[in-house]
Amino acid sequence: MILETRREFKTAAGTPTIIKELLQMIFSAELLKASEREIWIVSPWLSNVEIFDNRSGYFADINPDWPCTAIRLIDVLLALLVQGAVVNIVVDTEEARSKNNLHNDKFFGAIDKRVHQEGVRDQIKLMKSNNLHTKGFLFDSGFLSGSMNMTFNGLEVLDEHIVYDRSKDAISKARLAFEAYLVNSDD
């Protein structure tokens, strides 16, 4: 029997790597068999965090072109896009909480440059939404949601609670909710 829903609490003192390990599993599966529908990353704050520690070359079977170093979110997304995936990313506009709108803009600038270089810019949509607090990562195979932003603090520092749900109901409800960002985006 395959477990449909997995709930995890990460604390810096108790289980600091549990979410990173889950993300490695999710992204490994996605790289081996990409979603046929659009991938969604919705996170008020988004950083180019480390997804795979490939210093030993353990992930060469997933992507033999990756160097023996940390493989970051942009590298993973680029590999998915090159395979033909379509990715939608939604972040907060940050304007209400920040004097300078640099955090998400830095990520958007870095990924935009890379997708242009690889010729896959038409497969990714970068959007901003006012007052975004929702956090979720949606693939055909599952929906990861919870309190965590996709940032260093979310993965490494802060206590977080996440739920990984593989049920068709959770995936379809998340897809419907996220598709509203295509209509309402501020980009």
Side-chain angles (χ1 to χ4, degrees):
M1 178 176 151
I2 296 175
L3 192 62
E4 241 182 31
T5 304
R6 179 175 170 178
R7 300 175 197 290
E8 298 292 348
F9 291 91
K10 177 192 70 86
T11 61
T15 53
T17 63
I18 198 151
I19 292 177
K20 283 184 76 171
E21 291 167 1
L22 180 58
L23 284 169
Q24 281 186 359
M25 185 231 15
I26 292 168
F27 279 112
S28 293
E30 193 64 26
L31 286 159
L32 293 172
K33 183 185 181 304
S35 288
E36 294 177 13
R37 306 237 3 228
E38 296 170 330
I39 296 167
W40 283 87
I41 297 176
V42 178
S43 181
W45 299 91
L46 191 58
S47 301
N48 194 19
V49 294
E50 180 181 318
I51 302 295
F52 296 103
D53 178 354
N54 195 43
R55 288 178 289 194
S56 61
Y58 286 145
F59 295 100
D61 287 340
I62 292 174
N63 189 331
D65 295 331
W66 281 342
C68 292
T69 187
I71 305 302
R72 301 197 166 276
L73 180 60
I74 290 175
D75 301 314
V76 174
L77 293 175
L78 195 62
L80 288 167
L81 291 164
V82 167
Q83 289 180 9
V86 174
V87 178
N88 296 308
I89 300 175
V90 184
V91 298
D92 191 77
T93 58
E94 306 176 71
E95 293 165 1
R97 291 171 298 285
S98 174
K99 290 183 181 177
N100 57 23
N101 193 9
L102 296 177
H103 184 89
N104 291 329
D105 284 349
K106 182 178 177 183
F107 180 86
F108 273 17
I111 196 165
D112 197 50
K113 179 180 177 184
R114 297 277 307 275
V115 296
H116 276 294
Q117 290 170 342
E118 290 294 325
V120 291
R121 179 61 183 98
D122 61 331
Q123 293 167 231
I124 189 167
K125 184 150 178 75
L126 305 172
M127 297 169 271
K128 293 183 178 182
S129 180
N130 287 321
N131 302 312
L132 181 68
H133 191 66
T134 301
K135 293 127 184 133
F137 312 91
L138 178 63
F139 306 91
D140 287 351
S141 59
F143 176 50
L144 179 67
S145 63
S147 64
M148 180 190 79
N149 283 301
M150 187 65 101
T151 62
F152 177 81
N153 282 343
L155 287 175
E156 302 284 342
V157 178
L158 301 172
D159 292 351
E160 303 285 357
H161 174 252
I162 56 104
V163 176
Y164 183 57
D165 196 329
R166 299 182 61 210
S167 71
K168 291 187 185 319
D169 185 54
I171 294 168
S172 62
K173 284 179 181 175
R175 189 165 304 282
L176 284 173
F178 286 177
E179 286 174 352
Y181 290 116
L182 292 171
V183 175
N184 302 319
S185 72
D186 291 339
D187 71 342

